[in-house]
Amino acid sequence: MVDNKLELDEARRAAEYEGIKSTVESNVGSEIAARASTPAASQSESVERMADNMRRTAVDEVAETHNEVVRGRTAARVSQVIDYLFFLLYGLLTIRILLELFNARESAGFYRFIQAVTDPFYYPFRGLMRTFSTSDGFSVVLSLVVAVIVYMLLHL
């Protein structure tokens, strides 16, 4: 009769060893997973600092964009006012050209009003060029035409 007792005992110990080994591996694996899911204090502080920095950067960018929009609106409004003033000047000078062309009466109130309003703008160009007249009384004041062209170039 062969004694298997030693063999059975060895098999039992190997089975117990494997059971203990798998339990320890399971416990160590769960402990590693738990430690990995909760960051260390230094990592947590670093992540929090980085998040604060990113938040501040985002808020600063939004504020800067808002300021740029406000500056753009102001510049657009100023540009509109300047355009309006130049177009008003073009209109008044054109009316004066037409009144001169059709030989309007200088005693008329409207003629005097247009002349008084446009004289400061026409003064630098007065006498710059000859005025051409026809026998019917029509006249072309080229100095006024030059004034309009110069103001258009200035406006550009």
Side-chain angles (χ1 to χ4, degrees):
M1 209 168 174
V2 181
D3 196 13
N4 307 6
K5 206 175 187 186
L6 191 59
E7 248 180 66
L8 288 173
D9 195 34
E10 194 59 38
R12 184 183 51 80
R13 269 195 230 140
E16 283 178 7
Y17 173 76
E18 287 300 321
I20 291 172
K21 181 178 164 187
S22 68
T23 303
V24 168
E25 283 178 350
S26 172
N27 288 343
V28 168
S30 64
E31 187 176 331
I32 290 172
R35 284 188 182 177
S37 67
T38 57
S42 64
Q43 286 177 332
S44 178
E45 290 173 13
S46 174
V47 167
E48 197 59 38
R49 275 194 312 266
M50 189 179 296
D52 282 343
N53 192 12
M54 291 175 86
R55 272 188 231 111
R56 265 188 257 114
T57 302
V59 168
D60 290 345
E61 286 178 1
V62 168
E64 185 178 328
T65 302
H66 174 72
N67 291 338
E68 288 176 5
V69 167
V70 169
R71 279 193 304 265
R73 284 182 185 159
T74 303
R77 182 63 61 194
V78 168
S79 175
Q80 287 174 342
V81 168
I82 290 171
D83 286 346
Y84 176 76
L85 292 175
F86 268 102
F87 290 135
L88 185 65
L89 178 63
Y90 301 151
L92 291 172
L93 287 174
T94 303
I95 290 172
R96 183 163 177 175
I97 289 171
L98 292 174
L99 290 175
E100 295 283 344
L101 178 67
F102 294 119
N103 198 20
R105 284 185 297 147
E106 293 182 11
S107 62
F110 182 70
Y111 181 84
R112 282 186 284 144
F113 169 74
I114 294 293
Q115 189 176 21
V117 171
T118 58
D119 266 348
F121 301 103
Y122 173 58
Y123 180 76
F125 304 98
R126 185 181 310 260
L128 184 67
M129 301 180 84
R130 278 185 48 200
T131 301
F132 295 102
S133 298
T134 64
S135 60
D136 296 331
F138 296 107
S139 60
V140 177
V141 182
L142 289 179
S143 298
L144 277 170
V145 175
V146 169
V148 170
I149 292 171
V150 168
Y151 285 122
M152 283 182 178
L153 291 174
L154 180 67
H155 184 204
L156 288 177

